[in-house]
Amino acid sequence: MQTQTPYRSRHQNMSAILARCGPVIHEPNDDLAPALPAVLSDAQRDAYRNNGFLLMPDLFDADEVAALYAEMQAMRESYAHQGRKEVISEPGSGDVRSVFDVHHLNPLFANLMRDPRVLDVARDVLGSEVYIHQSRINYKPGFTGKEFYWHSDFETWHIEDGMPAMRALSCSILLTDNTDENGPLMLIPGSHRHFISCMGETPEENYKKSLKIQECGVPDPLLLSYLADMGGITTAKGKAGSVVFFDCNTMHGSNSNITPYPRSNAFFVYNSVDNVLHAPRDGLIARPDHIAARNDVAALTPQALAL
């Protein structure tokens, strides 16, 4: 099924900036309200609503981070030369750039996605039960970790996956210190209020290239400059164990990492169970389930992290 959309992109000769439709923070309906804990303070909700993101420091302690880091490294070493579909390599060096679908590949990360410290924030912001649209580890190794160019996730998920509405968020769990120098996440405050319609058509199986280097669905430099002039650019730096939550439409990216120190984060994309994927736009073939979930969309139940 494909529905009409206010968010047209990738088939015109001009870029455009469009107003967001729908809220940033969703209120649950009366039936769900008692089951969804309000875990964010009013100040945190206002910050997320206004900026499109929220950094929560030290959600996970040193022992938890050490266990997750060791498991992450073991996955990289195990999968590096297997030719697995879930593994994306760095252009040029061939180092592991990302591993997708980690909540299906690894029981510790499957447990992590259900931990109330992150799951309940997603349920609070999205005002509903949620499932995992996409999970991955971004390694960004020292010396060779390449940049992730500016983009809105929703633009890709809407066009290539058929996500109907802006009712999803990303949760980035810092497994190493993210510093000014090692290519941390950069975000443009307030950019989530605008949809940037991009130029160019989408090649078939675009994900095979775009997950290494994104060239389709990237914002026009003039519109990107406009967003940055309005909101500035914020660096989401923090100690390992901190977590960044950001709206699916927040413009973000990161620089390459030429330091000796990796910048490794676990990502979980939570989507509302009321926002499951439709057919991709413009007759595109659906991306595989390890990139965009279509089958495993059952609501998640909280479960404390067990090491």
Side-chain angles (χ1 to χ4, degrees):
M1 176 179 63
Q2 188 172 83
T3 58
Q4 293 295 315
T5 177
Y7 304 121
R8 301 283 287 174
S9 189
R10 304 194 196 182
H11 34 140
Q12 60 280 324
N13 296 322
M14 294 179 61
S15 296
I17 184 168
L18 308 172
R20 179 193 185 114
C21 301
V24 177
I25 293 185
H26 299 257
E27 300 302 327
N29 62 40
D30 292 340
D31 292 336
L32 273 180
L36 296 179
V39 296
L40 296 181
S41 68
D42 288 344
Q44 289 172 321
R45 289 168 69 88
D46 286 344
Y48 186 92
R49 183 184 292 108
N50 293 334
N51 295 323
F53 58 88
L54 179 68
L55 172 64
M56 299 181 72
D58 305 320
L59 281 194
F60 294 91
D61 65 32
D63 289 340
E64 292 170 320
V65 170
L68 292 164
Y69 183 86
E71 200 72 12
M72 171 194 75
Q73 293 292 76
M75 289 177 66
R76 178 170 67 171
E77 293 169 8
S78 174
Y79 297 159
H81 304 292
Q82 292 187 10
R84 298 186 65 107
K85 62 184 180 182
E86 300 94 347
V87 177
I88 308 299
S89 60
E90 290 282 5
S93 70
D95 290 340
V96 175
R97 178 178 174 90
S98 304
V99 175
F100 279 76
D101 212 26
V102 293
H103 66 296
H104 286 134
L105 294 176
N106 185 284
L108 185 56
F109 285 97
N111 188 184
L112 177 62
M113 73 173 182
R114 295 178 180 272
D115 189 281
R117 286 169 287 184
V118 290
L119 175 57
D120 283 347
V121 172
R123 296 162 82 207
D124 189 4
V125 169
L126 300 178
S128 71
E129 301 293 357
V130 299
Y131 71 94
I132 294 294
H133 167 69
Q134 183 187 96
S135 70
R136 66 189 186 276
I137 295 170
N138 284 344
Y139 286 92
K140 193 171 277 197
F143 298 119
T144 60
K146 299 300 183 183
E147 71 278 359
F148 291 83
Y149 192 72
W150 290 107
H151 63 285
S152 153
D153 287 327
F154 178 74
E155 195 275 343
T156 294
W157 299 340
H158 187 61
I159 300 300
E160 298 188 33
D161 297 334
M163 182 178 285
M166 296 178 185
R167 199 172 180 181
L169 64 78
S170 288
C171 160
S172 175
I173 302 170
L174 280 55
L175 300 183
T176 62
D177 291 349
N178 281 216
T179 69
D180 282 324
E181 297 81 19
N182 68 351
L185 181 70
M186 298 186 297
L187 310 107
I188 298 182
S191 58
H192 61 304
R193 302 191 192 98
H194 310 280
F195 178 79
I196 303 300
S197 178
C198 301
M199 292 188 291
E201 294 185 2
T202 311
E204 290 295 342
E205 297 187 320
N206 180 54
Y207 69 92
K208 292 183 176 180
K209 183 177 182 181
S210 67
L211 298 178
K212 292 176 179 284
I213 180 169
Q214 186 159 352
E215 296 176 339
C216 183
V218 298
D220 178 87
L222 287 176
L223 295 181
L224 184 61
S225 298
Y226 172 74
L227 293 177
D229 287 345
M230 285 199 307
I233 296 174
T234 295
T235 302
K237 58 186 178 180
K239 292 290 186 182
S242 302
V243 180
V244 185
F245 298 91
F246 59 99
D247 181 83
C248 63
N249 192 47
T250 300
M251 195 65 69
H252 63 285
S254 64
N255 290 323
S256 60
N257 180 16
I258 61 171
T259 74
Y261 312 111
R263 186 226 73 174
S264 299
N265 300 342
F267 276 82
F268 296 111
V269 178
Y270 294 98
N271 190 28
S272 169
V273 295
D274 298 323
N275 196 41
V276 296
L277 305 184
H278 293 180
R281 311 300 307 181
D282 308 320
L284 293 172
I285 302 299
R287 300 197 296 176
D289 245 45
H290 70 277
I291 301 295
R294 292 183 178 274
N295 296 310
D296 187 7
V297 296
L300 299 174
T301 55
Q303 179 183 340
L305 184 63
L307 302 181

